[in-house]
Structure formats: C-alpha cells, structure tokens
Short mmCIF file of all heavy atoms in Angstrom, two decimals:
data_model
loop_
_atom_site.label_atom_id
_atom_site.label_comp_id
_atom_site.label_asym_id
_atom_site.label_seq_id
_atom_site.Cartn_x
_atom_site.Cartn_y
_atom_site.Cartn_z
N MET A 1 0.84 -1.22 -0.01
CA MET A 1 -0.06 0.03 -0.03
C MET A 1 0.93 1.24 0.01
O MET A 1 1.93 1.26 0.66
CB MET A 1 -0.87 -0.04 1.24
CG MET A 1 -2.04 0.97 1.14
SD MET A 1 -3.06 0.88 2.61
CE MET A 1 -4.32 -0.26 2.09
N THR A 2 0.43 2.19 -0.75
CA THR A 2 1.23 3.42 -0.85
C THR A 2 0.56 4.62 -0.13
O THR A 2 -0.64 4.78 -0.29
CB THR A 2 1.48 3.83 -2.28
OG1 THR A 2 1.75 2.64 -3.01
CG2 THR A 2 2.61 4.81 -2.40
N PHE A 3 1.33 5.28 0.66
CA PHE A 3 0.78 6.47 1.32
C PHE A 3 1.36 7.72 0.75
O PHE A 3 2.60 7.74 0.53
CB PHE A 3 1.03 6.40 2.80
CG PHE A 3 0.24 5.43 3.57
CD1 PHE A 3 0.71 4.17 3.82
CD2 PHE A 3 -1.08 5.68 3.86
CE1 PHE A 3 -0.06 3.19 4.47
CE2 PHE A 3 -1.86 4.79 4.54
CZ PHE A 3 -1.32 3.51 4.85
N THR A 4 0.57 8.72 0.42
CA THR A 4 1.11 9.95 0.00
C THR A 4 1.39 10.82 1.22
O THR A 4 0.54 10.94 2.09
CB THR A 4 0.10 10.69 -0.96
OG1 THR A 4 -0.44 9.76 -1.84
CG2 THR A 4 0.77 11.79 -1.71
N ALA A 5 2.53 11.44 1.22
CA ALA A 5 2.89 12.26 2.31
C ALA A 5 1.89 13.49 2.38
O ALA A 5 1.53 14.03 1.35
CB ALA A 5 4.30 12.78 2.15
N GLY A 6 1.47 13.76 3.60
CA GLY A 6 0.49 14.85 3.83
C GLY A 6 1.02 16.14 3.32
O GLY A 6 2.09 16.27 2.78
N GLY A 7 0.33 17.21 3.62
CA GLY A 7 0.71 18.52 3.13
C GLY A 7 -0.55 19.30 2.90
O GLY A 7 -0.52 20.54 2.70
N CYS A 8 -1.69 18.64 3.06
CA CYS A 8 -2.96 19.28 2.87
C CYS A 8 -3.35 20.15 4.09
O CYS A 8 -4.25 20.90 4.02
CB CYS A 8 -4.04 18.25 2.69
SG CYS A 8 -3.71 17.08 1.31
N ARG A 9 -2.56 19.86 5.15
CA ARG A 9 -2.95 20.60 6.37
C ARG A 9 -2.10 21.88 6.59
O ARG A 9 -2.24 22.54 7.60
CB ARG A 9 -2.73 19.70 7.63
CG ARG A 9 -3.71 18.52 7.50
CD ARG A 9 -3.69 17.69 8.73
NE ARG A 9 -4.58 16.51 8.43
CZ ARG A 9 -4.87 15.66 9.32
NH1 ARG A 9 -4.51 15.72 10.53
NH2 ARG A 9 -5.67 14.60 9.02
N ASP A 10 -1.35 22.22 5.63
CA ASP A 10 -0.59 23.39 5.67
C ASP A 10 -1.52 24.59 5.43
O ASP A 10 -1.91 24.82 4.30
CB ASP A 10 0.57 23.37 4.65
CG ASP A 10 1.51 24.50 4.85
OD1 ASP A 10 1.20 25.51 5.50
OD2 ASP A 10 2.65 24.40 4.32
N LEU A 11 -1.75 25.38 6.42
CA LEU A 11 -2.71 26.51 6.32
C LEU A 11 -2.24 27.57 5.33
O LEU A 11 -3.05 28.26 4.76
CB LEU A 11 -3.01 27.10 7.67
CG LEU A 11 -3.91 26.23 8.60
CD1 LEU A 11 -4.00 26.89 9.91
CD2 LEU A 11 -5.30 26.10 8.01
N ARG A 12 -0.98 27.71 5.19
CA ARG A 12 -0.46 28.76 4.33
C ARG A 12 -0.96 28.56 2.87
O ARG A 12 -1.18 29.46 2.16
CB ARG A 12 1.04 28.76 4.26
CG ARG A 12 1.62 29.39 5.58
CD ARG A 12 3.11 29.22 5.58
NE ARG A 12 3.47 27.79 5.60
CZ ARG A 12 4.71 27.28 5.63
NH1 ARG A 12 5.70 28.12 5.67
NH2 ARG A 12 4.92 26.02 5.66
N HIS A 13 -1.19 27.28 2.64
CA HIS A 13 -1.75 26.87 1.24
C HIS A 13 -3.04 27.65 0.98
O HIS A 13 -3.36 28.06 -0.09
CB HIS A 13 -1.88 25.39 1.15
CG HIS A 13 -2.60 24.97 -0.07
ND1 HIS A 13 -1.93 24.93 -1.27
CD2 HIS A 13 -3.90 24.54 -0.25
CE1 HIS A 13 -2.90 24.47 -2.17
NE2 HIS A 13 -4.02 24.26 -1.58
N HIS A 14 -3.89 27.76 2.05
CA HIS A 14 -5.22 28.29 1.93
C HIS A 14 -5.23 29.80 1.89
O HIS A 14 -6.23 30.39 1.56
CB HIS A 14 -6.12 27.87 3.01
CG HIS A 14 -6.27 26.33 3.04
ND1 HIS A 14 -7.00 25.70 2.08
CD2 HIS A 14 -5.78 25.39 3.85
CE1 HIS A 14 -6.91 24.41 2.31
NE2 HIS A 14 -6.17 24.19 3.44
N MET A 15 -4.12 30.40 2.25
CA MET A 15 -4.07 31.92 2.31
C MET A 15 -4.11 32.53 0.92
O MET A 15 -4.18 33.74 0.73
CB MET A 15 -2.81 32.36 3.05
CG MET A 15 -2.96 32.18 4.55
SD MET A 15 -4.37 33.04 5.19
CE MET A 15 -4.37 32.51 6.87
N ASN A 16 -3.99 31.71 -0.14
CA ASN A 16 -4.16 32.20 -1.48
C ASN A 16 -5.59 32.24 -1.93
O ASN A 16 -5.90 32.77 -3.00
CB ASN A 16 -3.29 31.37 -2.39
CG ASN A 16 -1.80 31.51 -2.18
OD1 ASN A 16 -1.31 32.62 -1.88
ND2 ASN A 16 -1.08 30.41 -2.26
N ASN A 17 -6.44 31.65 -1.08
CA ASN A 17 -7.85 31.58 -1.42
C ASN A 17 -8.59 32.78 -0.96
O ASN A 17 -8.68 32.93 0.32
CB ASN A 17 -8.44 30.25 -0.91
CG ASN A 17 -9.86 30.04 -1.33
OD1 ASN A 17 -10.57 31.02 -1.69
ND2 ASN A 17 -10.23 28.77 -1.40
N PRO A 18 -9.18 33.70 -1.74
CA PRO A 18 -9.85 34.85 -1.27
C PRO A 18 -10.95 34.52 -0.27
O PRO A 18 -11.33 35.31 0.62
CB PRO A 18 -10.40 35.48 -2.53
CG PRO A 18 -9.50 34.94 -3.60
CD PRO A 18 -9.14 33.56 -3.21
N LYS A 19 -11.66 33.41 -0.51
CA LYS A 19 -12.75 33.02 0.42
C LYS A 19 -12.28 32.74 1.76
O LYS A 19 -12.94 33.06 2.77
CB LYS A 19 -13.56 31.83 -0.18
CG LYS A 19 -14.43 32.21 -1.34
CD LYS A 19 -15.24 31.06 -1.80
CE LYS A 19 -16.13 31.43 -2.97
NZ LYS A 19 -16.81 30.34 -3.61
N VAL A 20 -11.14 32.15 1.86
CA VAL A 20 -10.61 31.81 3.19
C VAL A 20 -10.13 33.10 3.83
O VAL A 20 -10.34 33.34 5.03
CB VAL A 20 -9.34 30.86 3.01
CG1 VAL A 20 -8.65 30.71 4.33
CG2 VAL A 20 -9.82 29.53 2.47
N ILE A 21 -9.58 34.00 3.04
CA ILE A 21 -9.14 35.37 3.60
C ILE A 21 -10.32 36.09 4.11
O ILE A 21 -10.29 36.67 5.18
CB ILE A 21 -8.34 36.14 2.57
CG1 ILE A 21 -7.07 35.42 2.20
CG2 ILE A 21 -8.06 37.49 3.06
CD1 ILE A 21 -6.38 36.00 0.97
N GLU A 22 -11.41 36.07 3.34
CA GLU A 22 -12.66 36.77 3.81
C GLU A 22 -13.21 36.11 5.01
O GLU A 22 -13.64 36.82 6.01
CB GLU A 22 -13.71 36.80 2.66
CG GLU A 22 -14.75 37.87 2.92
CD GLU A 22 -15.95 37.65 2.01
OE1 GLU A 22 -15.79 37.12 0.88
OE2 GLU A 22 -17.05 38.07 2.38
N ALA A 23 -13.27 34.83 5.07
CA ALA A 23 -13.74 34.17 6.31
C ALA A 23 -12.93 34.44 7.48
O ALA A 23 -13.39 34.67 8.58
CB ALA A 23 -13.81 32.63 6.05
N PHE A 24 -11.65 34.55 7.28
CA PHE A 24 -10.70 34.82 8.34
C PHE A 24 -10.95 36.28 8.82
O PHE A 24 -10.92 36.52 9.99
CB PHE A 24 -9.28 34.67 7.82
CG PHE A 24 -8.18 34.95 8.85
CD1 PHE A 24 -8.05 34.11 9.93
CD2 PHE A 24 -7.33 36.04 8.67
CE1 PHE A 24 -7.10 34.35 10.86
CE2 PHE A 24 -6.36 36.30 9.62
CZ PHE A 24 -6.19 35.43 10.68
N GLY A 25 -11.23 37.21 7.90
CA GLY A 25 -11.53 38.57 8.17
C GLY A 25 -12.79 38.69 9.03
O GLY A 25 -12.85 39.45 10.05
N LYS A 26 -13.83 37.93 8.72
CA LYS A 26 -15.05 37.87 9.52
C LYS A 26 -14.76 37.42 10.91
O LYS A 26 -15.28 37.96 11.86
CB LYS A 26 -16.05 36.93 8.85
CG LYS A 26 -17.04 37.52 7.95
CD LYS A 26 -17.98 36.44 7.50
CE LYS A 26 -18.50 36.73 6.08
NZ LYS A 26 -19.37 35.69 5.57
N LEU A 27 -13.94 36.47 11.00
CA LEU A 27 -13.63 35.79 12.22
C LEU A 27 -12.98 36.84 13.22
O LEU A 27 -13.30 36.92 14.35
CB LEU A 27 -12.71 34.63 12.04
CG LEU A 27 -12.61 33.55 13.15
CD1 LEU A 27 -13.94 32.79 13.17
CD2 LEU A 27 -11.48 32.65 12.87
N ILE A 28 -12.01 37.56 12.70
CA ILE A 28 -11.26 38.47 13.59
C ILE A 28 -11.89 39.83 13.74
O ILE A 28 -11.62 40.58 14.66
CB ILE A 28 -9.80 38.57 13.14
CG1 ILE A 28 -9.64 39.22 11.78
CG2 ILE A 28 -9.05 37.29 13.18
CD1 ILE A 28 -8.25 39.64 11.39
N SER A 29 -12.79 40.26 12.82
CA SER A 29 -13.35 41.56 12.88
C SER A 29 -14.86 41.54 13.34
O SER A 29 -15.37 42.55 13.81
CB SER A 29 -13.27 42.24 11.56
OG SER A 29 -14.12 41.67 10.61
N GLY A 30 -15.48 40.37 13.22
CA GLY A 30 -16.91 40.27 13.52
C GLY A 30 -17.74 40.93 12.46
O GLY A 30 -18.95 40.94 12.55
N ARG A 31 -17.12 41.37 11.36
CA ARG A 31 -17.89 42.00 10.26
C ARG A 31 -17.63 41.15 9.04
O ARG A 31 -16.55 40.58 8.85
CB ARG A 31 -17.42 43.38 10.03
CG ARG A 31 -17.91 44.36 11.13
CD ARG A 31 -17.39 45.72 10.82
NE ARG A 31 -15.90 45.80 10.90
CZ ARG A 31 -15.18 46.79 10.39
NH1 ARG A 31 -15.75 47.73 9.67
NH2 ARG A 31 -13.85 46.80 10.54
N SER A 32 -18.58 41.23 8.12
CA SER A 32 -18.31 40.61 6.86
C SER A 32 -17.78 41.59 5.88
O SER A 32 -17.99 42.79 6.09
CB SER A 32 -19.59 39.97 6.28
OG SER A 32 -20.56 40.94 6.04
N GLY A 33 -17.09 41.18 4.92
CA GLY A 33 -16.55 42.06 3.92
C GLY A 33 -15.24 42.77 4.35
O GLY A 33 -14.71 43.53 3.62
N TYR A 34 -14.83 42.37 5.52
CA TYR A 34 -13.53 42.97 5.98
C TYR A 34 -12.42 42.09 5.49
O TYR A 34 -12.39 40.91 5.71
CB TYR A 34 -13.53 42.97 7.55
CG TYR A 34 -12.24 43.37 8.14
CD1 TYR A 34 -11.89 44.74 8.26
CD2 TYR A 34 -11.36 42.45 8.61
CE1 TYR A 34 -10.70 45.17 8.79
CE2 TYR A 34 -10.15 42.86 9.16
CZ TYR A 34 -9.79 44.21 9.28
OH TYR A 34 -8.65 44.52 9.80
N MET A 35 -11.47 42.78 4.80
CA MET A 35 -10.38 41.99 4.30
C MET A 35 -9.13 42.25 5.16
O MET A 35 -8.61 43.36 5.15
CB MET A 35 -10.10 42.43 2.84
CG MET A 35 -11.20 42.03 1.91
SD MET A 35 -11.44 40.24 1.66
CE MET A 35 -10.08 39.93 0.52
N PRO A 36 -8.74 41.27 5.84
CA PRO A 36 -7.53 41.42 6.64
C PRO A 36 -6.29 41.57 5.78
O PRO A 36 -6.22 41.00 4.67
CB PRO A 36 -7.48 40.16 7.52
CG PRO A 36 -8.15 39.12 6.66
CD PRO A 36 -9.22 39.90 5.96
N ILE A 37 -5.42 42.37 6.23
CA ILE A 37 -4.21 42.54 5.45
C ILE A 37 -3.22 41.41 5.91
O ILE A 37 -2.77 41.40 7.06
CB ILE A 37 -3.55 43.90 5.62
CG1 ILE A 37 -4.49 44.94 5.08
CG2 ILE A 37 -2.20 43.99 4.96
CD1 ILE A 37 -4.31 46.35 5.58
N ILE A 38 -3.00 40.54 5.05
CA ILE A 38 -2.07 39.48 5.33
C ILE A 38 -0.73 39.85 4.75
O ILE A 38 -0.57 40.00 3.57
CB ILE A 38 -2.59 38.11 4.81
CG1 ILE A 38 -3.84 37.77 5.56
CG2 ILE A 38 -1.50 37.11 4.99
CD1 ILE A 38 -4.56 36.55 5.00
N GLU A 39 0.21 39.95 5.59
CA GLU A 39 1.56 40.38 5.21
C GLU A 39 2.12 39.43 4.18
O GLU A 39 2.18 38.21 4.36
CB GLU A 39 2.45 40.49 6.37
CG GLU A 39 3.75 41.22 6.07
CD GLU A 39 4.70 41.28 7.34
OE1 GLU A 39 4.17 41.19 8.42
OE2 GLU A 39 5.84 41.44 7.09
N LYS A 40 2.56 39.99 3.09
CA LYS A 40 3.16 39.19 2.04
C LYS A 40 4.58 39.59 1.96
O LYS A 40 4.85 40.71 1.52
CB LYS A 40 2.40 39.28 0.69
CG LYS A 40 1.14 38.51 0.69
CD LYS A 40 0.51 38.46 -0.67
CE LYS A 40 -0.73 37.66 -0.71
NZ LYS A 40 -1.36 37.63 -2.07
N ARG A 41 5.44 38.72 2.33
CA ARG A 41 6.83 39.05 2.16
C ARG A 41 7.27 38.87 0.73
O ARG A 41 6.92 37.88 0.09
CB ARG A 41 7.65 38.25 3.12
CG ARG A 41 7.78 38.75 4.53
CD ARG A 41 8.74 37.99 5.34
NE ARG A 41 8.32 36.62 5.51
CZ ARG A 41 9.10 35.60 5.89
NH1 ARG A 41 10.36 35.85 6.08
NH2 ARG A 41 8.62 34.40 6.02
N GLN A 42 8.07 39.73 0.30
CA GLN A 42 8.60 39.60 -1.07
C GLN A 42 9.84 38.74 -0.97
O GLN A 42 10.90 39.19 -0.63
CB GLN A 42 8.93 40.96 -1.65
CG GLN A 42 7.75 41.83 -1.95
CD GLN A 42 6.90 41.25 -3.16
OE1 GLN A 42 7.48 40.72 -4.10
NE2 GLN A 42 5.60 41.30 -3.05
N GLU A 43 9.68 37.48 -1.23
CA GLU A 43 10.79 36.60 -1.24
C GLU A 43 11.30 36.28 -2.56
O GLU A 43 10.51 36.20 -3.53
CB GLU A 43 10.41 35.25 -0.50
CG GLU A 43 10.31 35.32 0.98
CD GLU A 43 10.00 34.01 1.57
OE1 GLU A 43 10.52 33.01 1.19
OE2 GLU A 43 9.11 33.95 2.45
N GLN A 44 12.57 36.20 -2.70
CA GLN A 44 13.18 35.89 -3.95
C GLN A 44 12.87 34.40 -4.20
O GLN A 44 13.31 33.54 -3.43
CB GLN A 44 14.67 36.13 -3.93
CG GLN A 44 15.40 35.71 -5.19
CD GLN A 44 14.93 36.50 -6.42
OE1 GLN A 44 15.03 37.71 -6.51
NE2 GLN A 44 14.39 35.76 -7.36
N LEU A 45 12.18 34.17 -5.24
CA LEU A 45 11.96 32.76 -5.57
C LEU A 45 13.11 32.23 -6.34
O LEU A 45 13.65 32.86 -7.19
CB LEU A 45 10.64 32.68 -6.50
CG LEU A 45 9.36 32.83 -5.79
CD1 LEU A 45 8.24 33.07 -6.79
CD2 LEU A 45 9.02 31.66 -4.89
N ILE A 46 13.48 31.04 -6.00
CA ILE A 46 14.55 30.36 -6.70
C ILE A 46 14.10 28.96 -7.07
O ILE A 46 13.26 28.35 -6.39
CB ILE A 46 15.85 30.30 -5.92
CG1 ILE A 46 15.57 29.65 -4.54
CG2 ILE A 46 16.48 31.68 -5.71
CD1 ILE A 46 16.90 29.23 -3.86
N CYS A 47 14.66 28.49 -8.13
CA CYS A 47 14.35 27.11 -8.50
C CYS A 47 14.91 26.18 -7.45
O CYS A 47 16.02 26.31 -6.97
CB CYS A 47 15.06 26.78 -9.90
SG CYS A 47 14.99 25.08 -10.36
N SER A 48 14.02 25.24 -7.05
CA SER A 48 14.43 24.32 -6.06
C SER A 48 15.47 23.27 -6.55
O SER A 48 16.06 22.57 -5.83
CB SER A 48 13.21 23.55 -5.46
OG SER A 48 12.54 22.90 -6.55
N ASP A 49 15.60 23.31 -7.82
CA ASP A 49 16.49 22.31 -8.46
C ASP A 49 17.88 22.88 -8.67
O ASP A 49 18.89 22.34 -8.21
CB ASP A 49 15.89 21.82 -9.76
CG ASP A 49 15.92 20.29 -9.90
OD1 ASP A 49 15.46 19.62 -8.96
OD2 ASP A 49 16.40 19.81 -10.94
N CYS A 50 17.95 24.01 -9.35
CA CYS A 50 19.23 24.57 -9.81
C CYS A 50 19.53 25.92 -9.10
O CYS A 50 20.56 26.47 -9.37
CB CYS A 50 19.33 24.70 -11.28
SG CYS A 50 18.27 26.01 -11.94
N LYS A 51 18.60 26.40 -8.27
CA LYS A 51 18.74 27.68 -7.55
C LYS A 51 18.82 28.88 -8.45
O LYS A 51 19.23 29.97 -8.07
CB LYS A 51 20.03 27.64 -6.69
CG LYS A 51 20.21 26.44 -5.81
CD LYS A 51 19.00 26.24 -4.88
CE LYS A 51 19.17 24.92 -4.05
NZ LYS A 51 17.96 24.49 -3.46
N HIS A 52 18.30 28.78 -9.69
CA HIS A 52 18.22 29.84 -10.60
C HIS A 52 17.16 30.81 -10.04
O HIS A 52 16.07 30.41 -9.63
CB HIS A 52 17.85 29.33 -12.01
CG HIS A 52 17.73 30.39 -13.00
ND1 HIS A 52 18.84 30.95 -13.64
CD2 HIS A 52 16.63 31.01 -13.60
CE1 HIS A 52 18.47 31.92 -14.51
NE2 HIS A 52 17.10 31.92 -14.48
N ALA A 53 17.44 32.12 -10.12
CA ALA A 53 16.46 33.14 -9.63
C ALA A 53 15.28 33.23 -10.51
O ALA A 53 15.48 33.28 -11.79
CB ALA A 53 17.17 34.44 -9.55
N LEU A 54 14.12 33.31 -9.96
CA LEU A 54 12.87 33.31 -10.71
C LEU A 54 12.14 34.63 -10.50
O LEU A 54 12.25 35.21 -9.38
CB LEU A 54 12.03 32.15 -10.36
CG LEU A 54 12.60 30.76 -10.54
CD1 LEU A 54 11.73 29.75 -9.94
CD2 LEU A 54 12.86 30.41 -11.98
N ILE A 55 11.40 35.01 -11.46
CA ILE A 55 10.52 36.24 -11.31
C ILE A 55 9.41 35.91 -10.36
O ILE A 55 9.01 36.70 -9.54
CB ILE A 55 10.01 36.72 -12.65
CG1 ILE A 55 11.17 37.09 -13.59
CG2 ILE A 55 9.06 37.86 -12.50
CD1 ILE A 55 10.78 37.16 -15.06
N GLY A 56 8.82 34.68 -10.56
CA GLY A 56 7.79 34.28 -9.67
C GLY A 56 6.51 33.77 -10.38
O GLY A 56 5.69 33.12 -9.86
N ASP A 57 6.41 34.09 -11.69
CA ASP A 57 5.28 33.59 -12.42
C ASP A 57 5.56 32.54 -13.44
O ASP A 57 4.75 32.16 -14.25
CB ASP A 57 4.48 34.73 -13.05
CG ASP A 57 5.38 35.56 -13.97
OD1 ASP A 57 6.59 35.22 -14.15
OD2 ASP A 57 4.90 36.61 -14.49
N GLU A 58 6.79 32.06 -13.35
CA GLU A 58 7.20 30.91 -14.25
C GLU A 58 6.49 29.66 -13.75
O GLU A 58 6.35 29.41 -12.57
CB GLU A 58 8.70 30.74 -14.24
CG GLU A 58 9.51 31.90 -14.78
CD GLU A 58 10.05 32.78 -13.68
OE1 GLU A 58 9.39 32.83 -12.60
OE2 GLU A 58 11.07 33.38 -13.88
N LYS A 59 6.10 28.84 -14.73
CA LYS A 59 5.61 27.55 -14.32
C LYS A 59 6.74 26.51 -14.35
O LYS A 59 6.71 25.50 -13.68
CB LYS A 59 4.56 27.08 -15.38
CG LYS A 59 3.25 27.87 -15.17
CD LYS A 59 2.14 27.21 -15.98
CE LYS A 59 0.79 27.78 -15.66
NZ LYS A 59 0.67 29.16 -16.15
N PHE A 60 7.74 26.83 -15.19
CA PHE A 60 8.93 25.99 -15.21
C PHE A 60 10.18 26.81 -15.20
O PHE A 60 10.18 27.94 -15.71
CB PHE A 60 8.87 25.06 -16.50
CG PHE A 60 7.67 24.23 -16.56
CD1 PHE A 60 6.55 24.53 -17.25
CD2 PHE A 60 7.79 22.92 -15.98
CE1 PHE A 60 5.47 23.67 -17.28
CE2 PHE A 60 6.74 22.03 -16.01
CZ PHE A 60 5.53 22.45 -16.69
N CYS A 61 11.18 26.25 -14.61
CA CYS A 61 12.46 26.97 -14.52
C CYS A 61 13.00 27.15 -15.95
O CYS A 61 13.16 26.23 -16.65
CB CYS A 61 13.39 26.20 -13.66
SG CYS A 61 15.05 26.86 -13.59
N PRO A 62 13.38 28.41 -16.26
CA PRO A 62 13.94 28.64 -17.59
C PRO A 62 15.36 28.11 -17.80
O PRO A 62 15.88 27.93 -18.88
CB PRO A 62 13.94 30.17 -17.72
CG PRO A 62 13.95 30.66 -16.32
CD PRO A 62 13.25 29.66 -15.49
N GLU A 63 15.92 27.79 -16.64
CA GLU A 63 17.32 27.35 -16.62
C GLU A 63 17.38 25.81 -16.82
O GLU A 63 18.10 25.33 -17.65
CB GLU A 63 18.01 27.75 -15.33
CG GLU A 63 19.48 27.54 -15.30
CD GLU A 63 20.27 28.45 -16.26
OE1 GLU A 63 19.72 29.46 -16.69
OE2 GLU A 63 21.47 28.09 -16.51
N CYS A 64 16.63 25.14 -15.98
CA CYS A 64 16.76 23.65 -16.06
C CYS A 64 15.46 22.92 -16.42
O CYS A 64 15.44 21.75 -16.58
CB CYS A 64 17.27 23.11 -14.63
SG CYS A 64 16.02 23.28 -13.38
N GLY A 65 14.35 23.71 -16.49
CA GLY A 65 13.14 23.16 -16.89
C GLY A 65 12.34 22.43 -15.80
O GLY A 65 11.26 21.84 -16.05
N ALA A 66 12.82 22.56 -14.59
CA ALA A 66 12.08 21.88 -13.47
C ALA A 66 10.83 22.64 -13.18
O ALA A 66 10.72 23.87 -13.38
CB ALA A 66 13.00 21.88 -12.21
N LYS A 67 9.83 21.95 -12.74
CA LYS A 67 8.54 22.55 -12.41
C LYS A 67 8.67 23.44 -11.18
O LYS A 67 9.36 23.07 -10.22
CB LYS A 67 7.53 21.47 -12.10
CG LYS A 67 6.06 22.01 -12.04
CD LYS A 67 5.12 20.79 -12.05
CE LYS A 67 3.68 21.30 -12.26
NZ LYS A 67 3.13 21.77 -10.99
N VAL A 68 8.21 24.67 -11.35
CA VAL A 68 8.28 25.61 -10.21
C VAL A 68 7.17 25.44 -9.22
O VAL A 68 5.95 25.51 -9.61
CB VAL A 68 8.26 27.09 -10.70
CG1 VAL A 68 8.27 28.07 -9.55
CG2 VAL A 68 9.49 27.33 -11.64
N GLU A 69 7.45 25.09 -8.04
CA GLU A 69 6.47 24.83 -7.04
C GLU A 69 6.08 26.13 -6.37
O GLU A 69 6.95 26.83 -5.80
CB GLU A 69 6.95 23.84 -6.00
CG GLU A 69 7.34 22.51 -6.55
CD GLU A 69 6.17 21.64 -6.91
OE1 GLU A 69 5.01 22.05 -6.54
OE2 GLU A 69 6.37 20.68 -7.59
N LYS A 70 4.80 26.43 -6.39
CA LYS A 70 4.31 27.69 -5.74
C LYS A 70 4.06 27.37 -4.26
O LYS A 70 3.46 26.29 -3.97
CB LYS A 70 3.08 28.18 -6.43
CG LYS A 70 3.35 28.81 -7.75
CD LYS A 70 3.98 30.20 -7.67
CE LYS A 70 4.65 30.63 -8.96
NZ LYS A 70 3.70 30.76 -10.06
N LYS A 71 4.33 28.28 -3.41
CA LYS A 71 4.11 28.10 -1.97
C LYS A 71 2.67 28.50 -1.65
O LYS A 71 2.16 29.45 -2.15
CB LYS A 71 5.10 28.85 -1.12
CG LYS A 71 6.43 28.25 -1.17
CD LYS A 71 7.45 29.14 -0.44
CE LYS A 71 8.81 28.69 -0.79
NZ LYS A 71 9.81 29.61 -0.30
ZN1 LIG B 1 16.13 25.22 -12.33
#
C-alpha cells in the first residue's frame, strides 16, 4: 500500500484563497466584507532544483526546466 505524504494541512496553502481570507476577516473583525491585510513578504523565488533566480510567475524553470512549485 502506498501512502502519499500529507501537506494538505498546511494552512499557508489556503491563504491564497480569497474566500478563506474573507472568512478569516469575519472571524477576527466580527464583520463581513472585511479584508484582513495578510503580510506578504517579497521573497526571492529560486528554482528548487538549480537555484536559478525566478521572477515568480514561471511555471517551469527557464534554466533547467524543473517545475516551479508555488508556496
Ligand atoms: Zn532550475
């Protein structure tokens, strides 16, 4: 039997979902429609394979062709 390593429980994954952000805003403000400002750090994305610097919207590394994993 094969088990896939988890990763579905990483909450940061959901922070890209506007509905989750809005629900989170309701939760902390008691109001609907409140959009909490979630700090987004500008991190330099690099290819996990060859460490080539990426702009951030590549799907594949231009240097080695590895798939770029979005956080
Ligand atoms: Zn690469």
Side-chain angles (χ1 to χ4, degrees):
M1 193 180 268
T2 318
F3 287 98
T4 314
C8 305
R9 296 188 186 187
D10 189 342
L11 285 174
R12 285 172 298 180
H13 171 76
H14 298 290
M15 285 303 175
N16 292 321
N17 185 334
K19 284 185 180 171
V20 173
I21 294 170
E22 198 192 331
F24 182 66
K26 263 184 214 176
L27 200 73
I28 62 169
S29 70
R31 289 178 293 163
S32 63
Y34 173 83
M35 294 294 279
I37 295 159
I38 294 170
E39 192 180 338
K40 283 189 179 178
R41 276 187 296 160
Q42 291 291 321
E43 279 181 49
Q44 176 63 61
L45 286 167
I46 55 165
C47 173
S48 57
D49 227 50
C50 70
K51 312 304 178 195
H52 181 76
L54 303 169
I55 299 163
D57 56 4
E58 297 97 331
K59 287 190 173 67
F60 297 94
C61 173
E63 188 70 16
C64 71
K67 192 166 189 280
V68 175
E69 300 286 347
K70 288 286 164 61
K71 286 174 195 170

